[in-house]
Amino acid sequence: MTLRRSLGAALASLLLLAGCSENTPLAPSADARVLSPADATTLLHFAAMPDLSGARHAEKRISAAQGGFVELNGFRVDIPAGALPADTVVTIDLPGDPALAKRVVAEFGPHGIQFNTPVTLRFPLSGVSLNGSPIEVARWENGGWTSLGGSVNVLGTVLSGQTPRFSAYGGKYVMAGG
């Protein structure tokens, strides 16, 4: 009985620690904390569940003078020279929650940064279920999705859009009347 209790306590501790990772995606911003699977219903989704054991966080120091990019699993941000107010560590976080991880959504950081010129966000469309409806990039803010427009490359493999600041972003179906 003592061994069973000890194993149960050890398992509970591991589960608690696993939920406290500093790389927990979609947690840094107030807007992202309220993003739930229900809020993601209009987002594009992958046909198969992504591999959640791989990297879900990427970061890179970007020179304000030179610009650069950060990418993770087909998600990418391109920052032109002069867009950053100062050299900055730019991040991409993908959700670890299975319901959100199946959606084409990423959190780009740091939050609150305003760019001098817009940056380009890119989302993977390979392996994404498309229903023929127009799609766009959208930003999560104030409890809802705000359209940023966007375009799909000629091969139909990448959705791109521009933004003047960071938040949680996703590829979204454009709904008539929505």
Side-chain angles (χ1 to χ4, degrees):
M1 186 65 128
T2 305
L3 179 60
R4 182 179 286 174
R5 230 180 257 156
S6 296
L7 288 174
L11 179 60
S13 297
L14 284 174
L15 291 174
L16 181 63
L17 288 173
C20 294
S21 166
E22 67 183 47
N23 289 334
T24 301
L26 298 177
S29 78
D31 277 340
R33 275 190 219 113
V34 296
L35 178 61
S36 71
D39 299 318
T41 56
T42 61
L43 292 178
L44 300 172
H45 64 276
F46 295 102
M49 178 58 94
D51 178 7
L52 298 181
S53 66
R56 307 301 291 164
H57 174 83
E59 63 182 53
K60 186 179 190 183
R61 184 167 196 72
I62 304 293
S63 161
Q66 296 175 349
F69 69 92
V70 180
E71 66 184 326
L72 174 66
N73 300 340
F75 294 84
R76 180 176 167 136
V77 57
D78 290 293
I79 302 170
L84 290 168
D87 292 358
T88 305
V89 174
V90 175
T91 61
I92 301 175
D93 285 295
L94 303 180
D97 171 82
L100 283 175
K102 194 163 182 182
R103 301 298 179 164
V104 182
V105 63
E107 184 173 1
F108 295 87
H111 288 276
I113 192 166
Q114 293 288 322
F115 299 106
N116 298 323
T117 58
V119 302
T120 301
L121 305 176
R122 300 181 197 283
F123 298 84
L125 293 180
S126 297
V128 171
S129 298
L130 299 174
N131 68 6
S133 296
I135 58 175
E136 65 182 349
V137 174
R139 177 177 55 237
W140 181 256
E141 61 185 357
N142 302 319
W145 292 104
T146 300
S147 172
L148 298 175
S151 62
V152 176
N153 71 351
V154 235
L155 299 175
T157 57
V158 177
L159 170 65
S160 300
Q162 292 192 321
T163 185
R165 65 183 181 276
F166 277 155
S167 182
Y169 292 84
K172 184 175 183 285
Y173 284 115
V174 178
M175 302 295 179

